[in-house]
Amino acid sequence: MRHILFFLSVLISQSLFSVAQTYKCTIEATSTGDEHCVFRNVQLSSNTTNVSFELPTSGIPSRVTFKNSSLVHIPADFIQKFGDTLKVLYVEGCMLRSVIITNNLEVLHARNNYISRVVTQHNGNTPLLRDLDLSANRLKDIRNITHFKNLEILNLSSNEEIAAESVIDLNAFAPFKNLKELYLSDVGAFYLEYNKKFNLPTLQTLDLSKNTLLPSDLRVNRLSELEALEVLKLNDNNMAELDYGQLPYLKSLRRVYLNGNNFLCDKLQTMLKFLHERSITTPADTYSSCQPHQQQVDGMCCTKPIVMPPRPTQVPTLPTHIDSTDMDNTDNRVDMDNTDNRVDDQTPGIADNSNDGFPWIAVAIAVPLAIVLAGVGLYVYRKHART
């Protein structure tokens, strides 16, 4: 009986796992006003094989969004049913490890996943992809996406391993001749590499924010090769210096973000005045309260200059070595001076002992007085003798 029950349980479990998981989408309007076919709560592990995606009755949608889902990878059944018609795919925060980009896909937003590998489907034609957001993933290089020649927007922010050895190599993006926006924020970069031949003729926005770019390595004059650049984001780079005098050489530059750095306030004021006079605005895209040692200038926190106390006109000097003999002499001199002062205070009418005339005056008074007294004594004696 036990064997029969065990056998039945195995059959039931196998039948449960063999049943295909079918997911349906609902047509919903997004914040942009476009209608998307939205799949919710899709849960697929790496071992899931028997899964099916049902097409809506209205036909194959060109825009698909996954919400509150965990996919690991894009299922083959989804690619087969939606791939040829699919133009826009949003799979943000879906635990993806890899992603497949079909030839007809134009927009892929797959931020906040664990993507380390990008797979492309080739049909002999140039991929149509123009907007690719792979931010907050685990990409190590961009070799698998360099053949997307039609890319206009590329977001690789928060992929810390993209900046190999802490270097952003802008030369790697040279194949994207149609690129208009490039986001490389928070990739752990200290250095920026690009040669004289580097050029992205259509690039309008370059985001290098939230790194730790060294001012000595940030050669702003080289960026003048970006003739169409309008927006440059250098905020939150912990910089204390910037060769801002070179920024006007970027002919199309209209906005530069500088907040979140460590500029001294007087330098920041000078910098902002210089740029504003040349029609370059300096907005602050984020704001946080300044630290106690900082103050705010034009919506940006900057470091207050150190206020030094005024230098004294006479600086007292202290002896470097005092001999014990000198100490004794000094004490004696102090005591003598104090004694003299006490004598002077007690006998203000007597002349100073140092006056040489004092003994001679005493003698001059004492001698006549003695003679007079002697004469008086002699007179008294004689008168007494007669009697």
Side-chain angles (χ1 to χ4, degrees):
M1 186 65 178
R2 292 181 179 177
H3 295 289
I4 295 174
L5 292 175
F6 176 77
F7 180 72
L8 290 174
S9 64
V10 172
L11 288 178
I12 292 172
S13 62
Q14 288 180 347
S15 63
L16 288 175
F17 282 106
S18 62
V19 173
Q21 294 176 280
T22 302
Y23 293 97
K24 298 180 181 180
C25 67
T26 58
I27 303 301
E28 302 177 14
T30 64
S31 58
T32 59
D34 299 323
E35 288 189 342
H36 281 230
C37 178
V38 180
F39 288 97
R40 296 181 183 276
N41 301 313
V42 177
Q43 304 296 321
L44 304 178
S45 67
S46 57
N47 297 324
T48 303
T49 56
N50 199 4
V51 61
S52 176
F53 290 86
E54 187 174 310
L55 296 174
T57 56
S58 58
I60 303 176
S62 61
R63 302 182 185 92
V64 174
T65 296
F66 285 87
K67 290 186 176 182
N68 303 323
S69 299
S70 176
L71 301 180
V72 181
H73 61 271
I74 304 295
D77 184 75
F78 176 84
I79 298 297
Q80 292 172 2
K81 291 182 178 179
F82 292 82
D84 292 337
T85 306
L86 190 63
K87 298 295 183 182
V88 178
L89 176 59
Y90 281 36
V91 280
E92 299 180 344
C94 291
M95 307 292 287
L96 285 172
R97 267 57 173 177
S98 63
V99 65
I100 297 177
I101 301 177
T102 58
N103 232 49
N104 294 329
L105 192 66
E106 297 179 4
V107 178
L108 172 60
H109 284 196
R111 67 182 304 273
N112 196 26
N113 285 290
Y114 298 92
I115 298 171
S116 60
R117 188 167 64 98
V118 177
V119 181
T120 60
Q121 283 191 339
H122 297 280
N123 60 8
N125 298 324
T126 301
L128 299 178
L129 191 67
R130 55 181 176 79
D131 182 353
L132 178 59
D133 185 351
L134 293 174
S135 59
N137 278 288
R138 296 182 176 179
L139 293 174
K140 296 183 178 180
D141 56 60
I142 63 170
R143 286 176 293 182
N144 285 350
I145 64 176
T146 53
H147 60 277
F148 297 131
K149 308 298 183 183
N150 292 313
L151 265 183
E152 297 178 3
I153 303 173
L154 177 57
N155 192 340
L156 297 175
S157 297
S158 300
N159 283 275
E160 296 183 357
E161 297 187 50
I162 283 288
E165 298 181 355
S166 302
V167 178
I168 294 178
D169 186 3
L170 291 180
N171 300 305
F173 302 94
F176 305 117
K177 298 301 181 183
N178 296 320
L179 197 62
K180 295 181 180 180
E181 301 176 20
L182 177 57
Y183 298 91
L184 296 170
S185 172
D186 190 24
V187 295
F190 285 83
Y191 309 98
L192 192 64
E193 182 67 33
Y194 43 98
N195 56 36
K196 293 182 178 180
K197 296 181 180 180
F198 163 74
N199 188 22
L200 293 173
T202 61
L203 189 66
Q204 299 174 359
T205 299
L206 177 59
D207 185 358
L208 301 172
S209 64
K210 298 181 181 179
N211 289 292
T212 315
L213 294 176
L214 301 178
S216 59
D217 194 73
L218 182 59
R219 294 161 291 176
V220 177
N221 60 323
R222 288 281 189 89
L223 295 177
S224 61
E225 300 292 334
L226 303 174
E227 298 179 354
L229 191 66
E230 298 179 1
V231 179
L232 177 60
K233 304 190 72 172
L234 297 174
N235 53 287
D236 301 290
N237 264 282
N238 202 34
M239 291 189 297
E241 299 287 343
L242 177 65
D243 190 10
Y244 62 90
Q246 299 293 328
L247 289 173
Y249 288 98
L250 280 68
K251 299 178 182 179
S252 300
L253 189 64
R254 295 293 176 266
R255 296 198 307 275
V256 58
Y257 292 81
L258 299 170
N259 57 288
N261 286 296
N262 288 329
F263 300 120
L264 289 176
C265 293
D266 56 347
K267 290 186 178 181
L268 179 60
Q269 289 174 326
T270 302
M271 186 187 313
L272 297 182
K273 181 181 178 182
F274 176 85
L275 296 174
H276 295 167
E277 289 175 349
R278 287 153 181 81
S279 301
I280 300 176
T281 61
T282 55
D285 62 346
T286 58
Y287 174 78
S288 59
S289 57
C290 299
Q291 299 297 320
H293 67 283
Q294 294 179 319
Q295 66 185 39
Q296 186 183 145
V297 173
D298 201 13
M300 308 180 201
C301 296
C302 57
T303 304
K304 299 178 183 178
I306 299 176
V307 179
M308 301 296 294
R311 183 182 180 87
T313 54
Q314 293 183 353
V315 180
T317 57
L318 297 175
T320 57
H321 175 72
I322 300 177
D323 189 75
S324 59
T325 305
D326 294 339
M327 287 292 294
D328 295 339
N329 293 338
T330 302
D331 293 338
N332 292 336
R333 285 195 299 271
V334 172
D335 292 338
M336 288 297 294
D337 292 340
N338 292 336
T339 302
D340 293 340
N341 289 338
R342 286 194 298 270
V343 171
D344 291 343
D345 292 340
Q346 295 170 359
T347 56
I350 300 177
D352 194 300
N353 293 336
S354 62
N355 190 344
D356 294 337
F358 175 79
W360 298 107
I361 294 174
V363 172
I365 295 174
V367 170
L369 181 59
I371 294 173
V372 171
L373 291 176
V376 172
L378 182 60
Y379 170 76
V380 173
Y381 173 77
R382 287 180 177 180
K383 184 177 180 180
H384 180 74
R386 290 194 189 106
T387 59

